[in-house]
Amino acid sequence: MKLEIIRNVFLKDRYLLLELSAPRSFSRAVPGQFLHIRIEDSSDPLLRRPLSIHDLESRKRGKSSGEKTIVKILYEIAGKGTALLAEKRPLSQVDVLGPLGRGFDIKKARAANVIYLLAGGMGVAPLYFLAKRLSREKKKIEVLIGGRNKDHIMREREFRDLGCEVHVATEDGSLGLKGRVTALLLERLKAARPQGRRAICACGPKPMLAAVAEISRQKSIPAQVSLEEFMGCGVGACLGCVIRTTFGYKRICHDGPVFDAEEVIWTE
Amino acid sequence: MKLEIIRNVFLKDRYLLLELSAPRSFSRAVPGQFLHIRIEDSSDPLLRRPLSIHDLESRKRGKSSGEKTIVKILYEIAGKGTALLAEKRPLSQVDVLGPLGRGFDIKKARAANVIYLLAGGMGVAPLYFLAKRLSREKKKIEVLIGGRNKDHIMREREFRDLGCEVHVATEDGSLGLKGRVTALLLERLKAARPQGRRAICACGPKPMLAAVAEISRQKSIPAQVSLEEFMGCGVGACLGCVIRTTFGYKRICHDGPVFDAEEVIWTE
Amino acid sequence: MKSKLAVNIGSLKLKNPVIAASGTFGYGREYSDYLDPGELGAVITKTITRHRRDGNRPPRICETTGGMLNSIGLQNEGLEDFIGKKLPECRRLGTRLIVSVGGETNAEYAGIVETLDREPEISAFELNISCPNIEYKDKIISQDEELTYRLVKDVRSKTAKPLIVKLSPNVSDITKTARACQDAGADSVSLVNTFLGMAIDIERRKPVLGNITGGLSGPAIKPLALRMVWQVSNKISLPIIGGGGIMSARDAIEFLVAGATAVSVGTAHFVNPRACLEIKEGIASYLSRHHFKDVKELIGSLNVR
Amino acid sequence: MKSKLAVNIGSLKLKNPVIAASGTFGYGREYSDYLDPGELGAVITKTITRHRRDGNRPPRICETTGGMLNSIGLQNEGLEDFIGKKLPECRRLGTRLIVSVGGETNAEYAGIVETLDREPEISAFELNISCPNIEYKDKIISQDEELTYRLVKDVRSKTAKPLIVKLSPNVSDITKTARACQDAGADSVSLVNTFLGMAIDIERRKPVLGNITGGLSGPAIKPLALRMVWQVSNKISLPIIGGGGIMSARDAIEFLVAGATAVSVGTAHFVNPRACLEIKEGIASYLSRHHFKDVKELIGSLNVR
Ligand SMILES: Cc1cc2nc3c(=O)[nH]c(=O)nc-3n(C[C@H](O)[C@H](O)[C@H](O)COP(=O)(O)OP(=O)(O)OC[C@H]3O[C@@H](n4cnc5c(N)ncnc54)[C@H](O)[C@@H]3O)c2cc1C
Ligand SMILES: Cc1cc2nc3c(=O)[nH]c(=O)nc-3n(C[C@H](O)[C@H](O)[C@H](O)COP(=O)(O)OP(=O)(O)OC[C@H]3O[C@@H](n4cnc5c(N)ncnc54)[C@H](O)[C@@H]3O)c2cc1C
Ligand SMILES: Cc1cc2nc3c(=O)[nH]c(=O)nc-3n(C[C@H](O)[C@H](O)[C@H](O)COP(=O)(O)O)c2cc1C
Ligand SMILES: Cc1cc2nc3c(=O)[nH]c(=O)nc-3n(C[C@H](O)[C@H](O)[C@H](O)COP(=O)(O)O)c2cc1C
Ligand code: FES
Ligand code: FES
């Protein structure tokens, strides 16, 4: 499906926000789902690139009565594909499959009273969409964002605007706690009085998610994690994007990208 | 060498004129020489594309004293590479090797009193540059342009502005003589009174050039022809772009693209 | 008038020559949001083995220039699961179902084919003897004419359904394995499977793929696959399913002209889930533009002077 | 501190591991407007045969996805012309000159090497036994271990200069031909030459190349070439010149990590005449970024766990 680009702007350094005009059906998308994007009609790059839905918005369509749906993507220039995407201008189009995959289980998350959203680096991308959905629920949401340094921390203000409590950890200490976002999580868990049920939703690099899973196990706090892997088809057909789970290899694109942390075998 | 695009505009349908800002050294280019252009920093397309120099111009460089050289390229969208080139906007750059190859032998051509320039389709591209150089010489220049129909005939007016006599042949008769440009040549040769020495310079598809060579032989009029072939290196290193000659296979990029018609073995 | 698109692979009648290649189209339903599998000539399943196979450790996929490496390693749930769960869902695919069969011994191949032979929704078998990720007596079966001959012979006796053998391109002379298949009674050969390749992450100085090496597919391999199809079509008389890097109708037509009776499309689905449909339509419009009444006129029409 | 770039191919000392591949760099001077050949580790000439060879009929080149096909067919002016006209011009190249030798019989190869052995400006020989365009007893020599062994043996006795043998990738198991070269006394193997491929012009239903088939080179083949270099480096002890699709320093480093002692760069010149220079500089900056003092530390450093 070809979607028109409405906006594609640098937020900082190598990070951009892309806005696409999408059909109404996209409003059914679930946080954690992704789009599988063909950036150029070219063999270089050949394959699509998976990018999470960062936000969904409905806007009035000028004078006409209808509404249009806007999908937002927060992305980092990581290589050839995303560099080409960054060059795209409004009115041009990208070829999109999706929304794809199994997103966060909102029901499970909102069964808790306090929800911790943990973002490592670009992990903020899907978590903002999730925070928005959860913020309707009048739960306490703590957003913990980790990154190498303060230039890698994004969307703080936007999360606060949703009513979330935001904490930051940077490896070099240039903003917030000096250290990992999982250390921050431990600190926040300790600081909090036991207030009944808690839940964790996390997205970031695999080692971080493994650490989250360990904390989840030790503290008996259910955690959902969103995983990444190179993707071929994006629709569950090629078995190219798997993660080892207690049920064998599962497809990140179709059975995930969100999994229960306890289901994943982290040692591989 | 990266050259900046000054202009890149459609002349008609699938034909464009590209203007590049070039270093002064380009003013030494000879008609018939070409540029070997890398259109994108991508593996699709992988190889460079050869395009003839259509015109050279010197322009005053704003207030500063120097002059800048402008290289013009007349091209047709023939496939992927030229389609991508057509999308390029002013201020962006293309990567250019050249001027390359052995162009028309001006001395030989101007030894004649009447010079026939025969263009088949895109063959007008190098011949305009040649006409411009020859027009300094106060010779009679007849430009014969052939094409499928009138939409494939270009640069008539520009040739006339140089003082050339222009005749056109189209296969469907929508402009000028109905038929081939070589038929037009025979007609023009017949129409002309024997006025001493004549010469032919031609550029176009190989079958047309073979017919020109035959006319050249029969009428004993020396002809220079500019040939095309797929190219690899463009500098004579790979032997990828050869034409059979009486001296064996010769490299079109380096020993040509312009050859004496009598030297080429047309039957292969 | 519309040109005829139907072709025959032995006794297997296809309504058009466009086939979804094994391992790239799941079990036929995965792309249903994007195209109706009923539009295809046939669908070939992911390779099935007797027992459940985990497959290789990730990463399993890596993009290369004009292609991709994969090292899936024949992950599948095994024969019972296929019969119990997958096959019933294939019932109303609306096109021919070809089951790709893999194994480590001749008996395993023969057993699977024998078991599946009674299933009416299966139109044919494709023997995957070429997956570069599994070694058989230290060799890929398809790299050895003798092993190939014996395997095909053993399986042939178990089924009357069309038997297609999928060849590996990682050989000195693919016409020899093709001939071994013909001699052993196969109905068709399918070529090519992937080329064994590798990629290295230079920052970590480790292989990109968890399995170190993987199979190269996609447009990068098209010239090699096309050459092999042409060579084989000059040497044997069996119908050929040709593929490897087919992304467009143009590519598919090259294979037909080189001598393939049908074409298989793999990696293209990942780029464009509607690739098969566009290829089918592109072939149809080529045929009418060139005044061919029947796609069969195109097959093997290469003019080498 | 600058990292050391010098490497040895047997007794052949190269100031850096970047070599211009045969047939893509003429006789060393063709690219002089764009880079000084003295910057390279070595230049390998277009393959030279005893007598003048016309080469194949055009078209000889065709672009494919991520690669190109060529069917030059060893066009060259023959040995006498090489000695009389080309060699004198090679005198001040400023780098090692390796002469690529081709032929149709063992005697032809041996004769050329014997004749050229006395030329001091020649640093080494590369035997091209892999060009897919010339058939020797119905086979490409390099596709036959026995023929390879005998040829290398015959040539070995004619020269004390480093003898490199260039292998064809169109084989089931390239480690076998590599081992034959080692056993026969070669100093190094060079891999890979081009993969036999084909392209068809569907409008005319004719091969695009005048010679029907041609050799595929360029980034499309990189994963296959890299895998072969890795396989060979695990099986033999000779230094390897690795190449096939190297376009950038990144690609070159992959080959070094896989076990190549030097890299050969071919098609990349056509895209970027300064490719070799940029590759050399890219290797140097990678080495210092990763705190390697010597490029030799990188060679074969692949960590497969
Ligand atoms: C479900 C999912 C959701 C994602 N959401 C986002 C997002 O919202 N924002 C964002 O910036 N990034 C996201 N990513 C990562 C993003 O897909 C990669 O950064 C992108 O594909 C890189 O492409 P490239 O061509 O720019 O880089 P390349 O040149 O291809 O590679 C650069 C690096 O990116 C990684 N990469 C390459 N291809 C893939 C792939 N197919 N899948 C995963 N990683 C890859 C590799 O680590 C590689 O070294 C997501 C990945 C997945 C799997
Ligand atoms: C010396 C020389 C000068 C030329 N000058 C001009 C010019 O001034 N204006 C102009 O419009 N065209 C010129 N051409 C032709 C031009 O190079 C091709 O049209 C162009 O390379 C097509 O590239 P593409 O990617 O758009 O098409 P592709 O998709 O590559 O192919 C389209 C068609 O173009 C032809 N073609 C492709 N590559 C080449 C190649 N390397 N050499 C020759 N033909 C090729 C083939 O017939 C092919 O079928 C010249 C060619 C040569 C050899
Ligand atoms: C991810 C992936 C998985 C594959 N799995 C199988 C398989 O299970 N069995 C098989 O015979 N071929 C398998 N193949 C090979 C394809 O069927 C096809 O032969 C090959 O990819 C070449 O075609 P293509 O370039 O169109 O993809 C697989 C290919 C890919 C890319
Ligand atoms: C146009 C061309 C001509 C070639 N000629 C020769 C040759 O004469 N002898 C030879 O050994 N290899 C020849 N080769 C092969 C290259 O040396 C190289 O091995 C191959 O192209 C793979 O490397 P690449 O992908 O970097 O080009 C030629 C390659 C090309 C593209
Ligand atoms: S990318 Fe194909 S199964 Fe996930
Ligand atoms: S293109 Fe290489 S010799 Fe002409």
Side-chain angles (χ1 to χ4, degrees):
Chain A
M1 178 177 4
K2 302 262 184 198
L3 300 189
E4 193 180 288
I5 295 178
I6 300 175
R7 228 158 75 99
N8 190 22
V9 292
F10 277 89
L11 296 184
K12 37 171 106 176
D13 201 11
R14 300 176 316 159
Y15 301 99
L16 290 96
L17 184 70
L18 171 70
E19 295 186 6
L20 300 171
S21 173
R24 288 280 289 279
S25 61
F26 272 64
S27 57
R28 287 196 300 271
V30 173
Q33 284 192 310
F34 66 94
L35 304 183
H36 209 23
I37 303 187
R38 185 165 189 213
I39 295 155
E40 292 285 343
D41 183 15
S42 160
S43 68
D44 185 14
L46 181 69
L47 298 174
R48 291 170 179 271
R49 297 294 188 256
L51 293 168
S52 304
I53 298 178
H54 176 58
D55 194 7
L56 269 189
E57 216 178 273
S58 292
R59 277 189 207 154
K60 277 264 154 52
R61 208 198 281 271
K63 273 172 210 159
S64 77
S65 56
E67 286 200 330
K68 65 176 178 182
T69 302
I70 307 216
V71 193
K72 300 189 190 175
I73 306 276
L74 179 71
Y75 68 101
E76 181 184 359
I77 297 183
K80 178 116 199 179
T82 44
L84 283 168
L85 184 57
E87 285 176 19
K88 292 268 173 189
R89 294 285 146 260
L91 300 182
S92 63
Q93 299 188 316
V94 286
D95 181 351
V96 164
L97 303 184
L100 297 174
R102 237 190 41 173
F104 289 95
D105 187 330
I106 305 262
K107 259 197 209 137
K108 240 193 235 172
R110 74 181 173 208
N113 305 320
V114 189
I115 309 165
Y116 296 91
L117 305 188
L118 254 80
M122 284 311 298
V124 287
L127 293 182
Y128 179 77
F129 185 21
L130 176 62
K132 201 168 172 182
R133 281 287 157 91
L134 290 173
S135 67
R136 297 177 188 164
E137 309 279 337
K138 313 269 172 231
K139 305 277 173 182
K140 176 163 189 204
I141 305 175
E142 283 199 27
V143 179
L144 315 184
I145 310 177
R148 211 166 320 143
N149 61 51
K150 68 177 188 324
D151 293 332
H152 291 78
I153 305 298
M154 272 178 304
R155 306 324 248 170
E156 268 184 276
R157 199 169 55 86
E158 286 74 8
F159 279 112
R160 287 207 178 97
D161 289 348
L162 292 176
C164 306
E165 189 178 322
V166 180
H167 299 274
V168 169
T170 54
E171 283 173 39
D172 69 349
S174 54
L175 194 68
L177 179 82
K178 181 174 157 83
R180 301 241 158 107
V181 68
T182 40
L184 180 59
L185 172 63
L186 285 174
E187 196 175 85
R188 294 305 308 156
L189 288 174
K190 215 184 289 171
R193 279 168 298 161
Q195 308 136 299
R197 286 205 282 184
R198 294 169 295 182
I200 300 171
C201 293
C203 183
K206 206 169 158 190
M208 167 195 143
L209 298 181
V212 168
E214 184 55 25
I215 294 170
S216 148
R217 198 183 58 78
Q218 283 176 0
K219 311 262 176 193
S220 302
I221 307 173
Q224 299 181 49
V225 296
S226 180
L227 291 161
E228 288 193 9
E229 189 51 86
F230 298 115
M231 283 189 184
C233 67
V235 302
C238 76
L239 307 179
C241 65
V242 298
I243 179 78
R244 171 81 82 181
T245 73
T246 47
F247 309 101
Y249 283 122
K250 282 197 167 183
R251 297 162 297 183
I252 289 178
C253 70
H254 193 256
D255 307 317
V258 179
F259 293 88
D260 284 336
E262 59 180 3
E263 186 189 341
V264 176
I265 295 173
W266 296 98
T267 46
E268 188 174 270
Chain B
M1 180 179 359
K2 302 262 184 195
L3 299 190
E4 194 180 287
I5 296 179
I6 299 175
R7 228 158 72 101
N8 188 24
V9 292
F10 278 89
L11 295 184
K12 39 170 105 174
D13 200 10
R14 300 176 318 156
Y15 300 99
L16 291 96
L17 184 69
L18 171 69
E19 296 186 6
L20 300 171
S21 172
R24 288 279 289 279
S25 61
F26 273 65
S27 58
R28 288 195 299 270
V30 174
Q33 284 193 308
F34 65 94
L35 305 183
H36 210 24
I37 302 187
R38 185 165 190 213
I39 294 155
E40 292 284 344
D41 181 15
S42 161
S43 68
D44 183 17
L46 181 69
L47 297 174
R48 291 171 179 272
R49 299 291 188 257
L51 294 167
S52 305
I53 298 177
H54 175 59
D55 194 7
L56 269 188
E57 216 177 89
S58 291
R59 276 189 209 152
K60 277 264 155 53
R61 204 198 282 274
K63 274 173 212 159
S64 75
S65 55
E67 284 200 332
K68 65 175 179 183
T69 302
I70 308 223
V71 193
K72 299 189 191 177
I73 306 277
L74 180 69
Y75 69 101
E76 180 184 359
I77 296 184
K80 177 115 199 180
T82 43
L84 283 169
L85 185 57
E87 286 176 18
K88 291 267 173 189
R89 295 285 147 262
L91 300 183
S92 63
Q93 301 188 316
V94 286
D95 181 354
V96 164
L97 303 185
L100 298 174
R102 237 190 41 174
F104 288 96
D105 187 329
I106 305 263
K107 260 197 210 137
K108 240 193 236 171
R110 73 182 175 206
N113 304 321
V114 189
I115 308 166
Y116 296 91
L117 304 188
L118 254 80
M122 284 311 300
V124 287
L127 292 183
Y128 178 76
F129 185 21
L130 177 62
K132 203 168 170 183
R133 281 287 157 89
L134 290 173
S135 66
R136 299 178 188 162
E137 308 280 335
K138 313 268 170 233
K139 304 277 173 182
K140 177 162 188 202
I141 304 175
E142 282 200 27
V143 179
L144 315 183
I145 310 178
R148 211 165 321 142
N149 60 52
K150 68 177 187 330
D151 294 331
H152 292 79
I153 305 297
M154 273 177 305
R155 308 321 250 168
E156 268 184 275
R157 199 169 54 87
E158 286 74 8
F159 279 111
R160 287 207 179 96
D161 289 348
L162 291 177
C164 305
E165 189 177 322
V166 180
H167 299 273
V168 169
T170 54
E171 284 174 37
D172 70 349
S174 53
L175 195 68
L177 180 81
K178 182 173 156 83
R180 300 240 159 108
V181 69
T182 41
L184 180 60
L185 172 63
L186 285 174
E187 194 174 87
R188 296 302 311 157
L189 289 173
K190 215 185 289 171
R193 280 169 298 164
Q195 310 136 296
R197 286 205 283 183
R198 294 170 295 182
I200 300 172
C201 294
C203 183
K206 206 167 158 191
M208 166 196 143
L209 299 181
V212 169
E214 183 56 26
I215 294 169
S216 148
R217 197 184 58 80
Q218 284 175 1
K219 311 262 176 194
S220 302
I221 307 172
Q224 299 181 50
V225 296
S226 180
L227 290 160
E228 288 193 9
E229 188 51 86
F230 297 114
M231 284 189 183
C233 66
V235 303
C238 76
L239 308 178
C241 64
V242 299
I243 180 78
R244 172 81 81 182
T245 73
T246 47
F247 308 101
Y249 283 122
K250 281 197 170 183
R251 295 163 297 184
I252 289 178
C253 69
H254 193 255
D255 306 316
V258 179
F259 294 88
D260 285 336
E262 60 180 3
E263 185 189 341
V264 175
I265 294 173
W266 297 97
T267 45
E268 188 174 271
Chain C
M1 204 205 65
K2 272 202 179 165
S3 323
K4 290 191 185 128
L5 286 178
V7 296
N8 301 328
I9 300 289
S11 62
L12 176 67
K13 293 186 192 322
L14 306 181
K15 57 187 162 193
N16 67 65
V18 184
I19 300 178
S22 177
T24 66
F25 207 74
Y27 299 92
R29 288 272 178 234
E30 283 79 351
Y31 284 99
S32 298
D33 286 351
Y34 305 98
L35 92 168
D36 172 6
E39 298 273 2
L40 308 190
V43 166
I44 307 181
T45 66
K46 174 76 189 162
T47 298
I48 284 145
T49 54
R50 177 72 194 83
H51 300 289
R52 179 180 187 288
R53 285 181 57 96
D54 257 7
N56 293 322
R57 56 184 295 182
R60 290 177 170 184
I61 276 186
C62 161
E63 182 166 326
T64 66
T65 303
M68 62 177 278
L69 292 166
N70 88 77
S71 59
I72 311 298
L74 298 194
Q75 177 180 341
N76 78 104
E77 296 297 317
L79 183 60
E80 259 88 77
D81 175 271
F82 178 74
I83 296 173
K85 295 198 190 141
K86 309 258 168 25
L87 203 49
E89 284 184 31
C90 293
R91 223 144 258 168
R92 268 179 294 272
L93 266 188
T95 186
R96 303 292 182 194
L97 180 73
I98 302 173
V99 174
S100 172
V101 176
E104 287 174 342
T105 61
N106 288 12
E108 187 179 340
Y109 279 98
I112 298 171
V113 168
E114 192 166 22
T115 308
L116 290 176
D117 189 48
R118 48 178 172 263
E119 304 291 343
E121 41 275 292
I122 298 175
S123 296
F125 296 104
E126 182 178 84
L127 301 187
N128 174 7
I129 58 167
S130 45
C131 181
N133 300 314
I134 298 204
E135 306 257 303
Y136 177 89
K137 288 183 190 158
D138 257 8
K139 263 191 183 168
I140 296 171
I141 306 172
S142 180
Q143 285 185 344
D144 188 305
E145 296 144 55
E146 194 52 37
L147 290 182
T148 301
Y149 178 86
R150 270 189 258 147
L151 175 67
V152 175
K153 198 95 193 163
D154 286 355
V155 176
R156 175 73 284 179
S157 61
K158 306 298 181 202
T159 184
K161 291 186 178 176
L163 190 61
I164 304 156
V165 188
K166 182 154 180 195
L167 307 181
S168 169
N170 299 296
V171 296
S172 302
D173 183 353
I174 197 164
T175 67
K176 291 194 180 149
T177 23
R179 183 176 293 283
C181 296
Q182 173 165 301
D183 292 346
D187 295 296
S188 167
V189 288
S190 174
L191 52 145
V192 297
N193 210 318
T194 55
F195 288 76
L196 195 61
M198 181 171 178
I200 292 174
D201 176 341
I202 62 166
E203 296 306 320
R204 303 185 309 138
R205 287 181 293 286
K206 282 189 168 189
V208 174
L209 297 176
N211 196 47
I212 307 179
T213 60
L216 185 66
S217 65
I221 67 169
K222 197 197 75 179
L224 313 184
L226 185 68
R227 178 264 298 179
M228 291 182 177
V229 166
W230 182 69
Q231 287 178 324
V232 170
S233 82
N234 284 332
K235 284 280 172 66
I236 70 168
S237 56
L238 295 183
I240 297 167
I241 299 175
I246 295 180
M247 304 301 281
S248 64
R250 203 193 149 98
D251 296 332
I253 293 163
E254 286 191 63
F255 278 86
L256 297 172
V257 169
T261 297
V263 293
S264 71
V265 176
T267 303
H269 296 117
F270 308 161
V271 177
N272 172 13
R274 290 172 65 76
C276 276
L277 194 62
E278 290 173 14
I279 289 167
K280 184 182 87 170
E281 286 164 359
I283 294 172
S285 68
Y286 174 93
L287 291 174
S288 52
R289 188 155 43 86
H290 285 264
H291 310 292
F292 286 111
K293 293 210 183 64
D294 193 320
V295 68
K296 294 191 192 92
E297 297 167 40
L298 203 59
I299 296 167
S301 62
L302 186 69
N303 170 8
V304 293
R305 256 146 309 174
Chain D
M1 206 202 68
K2 271 201 180 168
S3 323
K4 290 191 185 129
L5 286 179
V7 296
N8 301 329
I9 300 288
S11 62
L12 176 67
K13 292 187 193 322
L14 306 181
K15 55 188 163 192
N16 67 66
V18 184
I19 301 177
S22 176
T24 66
F25 207 74
Y27 299 93
R29 288 270 178 237
E30 284 78 352
Y31 283 100
S32 298
D33 285 351
Y34 305 98
L35 92 169
D36 172 5
E39 297 275 1
L40 307 190
V43 165
I44 307 180
T45 65
K46 175 77 188 160
T47 297
I48 284 144
T49 53
R50 177 73 194 84
H51 301 289
R52 181 180 186 286
R53 285 182 57 97
D54 257 8
N56 293 322
R57 56 184 294 184
R60 290 178 171 183
I61 276 187
C62 161
E63 183 166 325
T64 66
T65 303
M68 62 177 279
L69 292 166
N70 88 78
S71 59
I72 311 299
L74 298 194
Q75 178 181 340
N76 79 102
E77 297 296 318
L79 183 60
E80 260 88 77
D81 175 90
F82 177 74
I83 296 172
K85 294 199 191 141
K86 308 257 166 30
L87 204 49
E89 284 185 30
C90 293
R91 222 145 259 168
R92 267 180 293 272
L93 267 188
T95 186
R96 303 293 183 191
L97 180 72
I98 302 174
V99 174
S100 171
V101 176
E104 287 174 341
T105 62
N106 287 11
E108 187 179 341
Y109 279 97
I112 297 170
V113 168
E114 192 167 22
T115 307
L116 290 176
D117 189 47
R118 49 179 170 265
E119 304 292 343
E121 41 275 291
I122 298 175
S123 296
F125 297 105
E126 182 179 82
L127 301 187
N128 174 7
I129 57 167
S130 45
C131 183
N133 299 316
I134 298 201
E135 304 257 302
Y136 176 90
K137 290 184 189 157
D138 256 8
K139 265 193 183 167
I140 296 172
I141 307 172
S142 180
Q143 285 184 344
D144 188 305
E145 296 145 54
E146 194 52 37
L147 291 182
T148 301
Y149 178 87
R150 269 188 259 146
L151 174 66
V152 175
K153 199 94 192 160
D154 286 355
V155 176
R156 176 71 286 178
S157 62
K158 305 299 180 203
T159 184
K161 290 186 178 176
L163 190 62
I164 304 157
V165 188
K166 181 153 179 195
L167 307 181
S168 167
N170 299 297
V171 295
S172 302
D173 184 354
I174 196 164
T175 66
K176 290 193 179 151
T177 23
R179 183 176 292 284
C181 296
Q182 172 165 302
D183 292 347
D187 294 296
S188 167
V189 288
S190 173
L191 53 144
V192 300
N193 211 317
T194 55
F195 288 76
L196 194 60
M198 180 173 182
I200 293 175
D201 176 341
I202 62 165
E203 297 306 319
R204 304 185 307 139
R205 286 181 294 285
K206 282 190 170 188
V208 174
L209 297 176
N211 194 46
I212 307 178
T213 60
L216 185 66
S217 64
I221 67 169
K222 197 197 76 177
L224 312 184
L226 186 67
R227 179 263 298 179
M228 291 181 177
V229 166
W230 182 69
Q231 287 179 324
V232 169
S233 82
N234 284 331
K235 285 279 170 68
I236 69 168
S237 57
L238 294 184
I240 298 168
I241 299 175
I246 294 179
M247 306 300 280
S248 64
R250 203 193 148 96
D251 296 332
I253 293 163
E254 286 191 62
F255 278 86
L256 297 173
V257 170
T261 296
V263 293
S264 71
V265 177
T267 303
H269 296 118
F270 308 162
V271 176
N272 172 13
R274 291 172 64 76
C276 275
L277 195 62
E278 291 173 13
I279 289 168
K280 184 182 86 168
E281 286 165 358
I283 294 173
S285 67
Y286 174 92
L287 291 174
S288 51
R289 189 154 44 82
H290 286 263
H291 310 294
F292 285 111
K293 294 210 182 65
D294 193 320
V295 68
K296 293 191 193 94
E297 297 168 38
L298 203 57
I299 295 166
S301 62
L302 186 69
N303 171 9
V304 293
R305 258 146 308 172

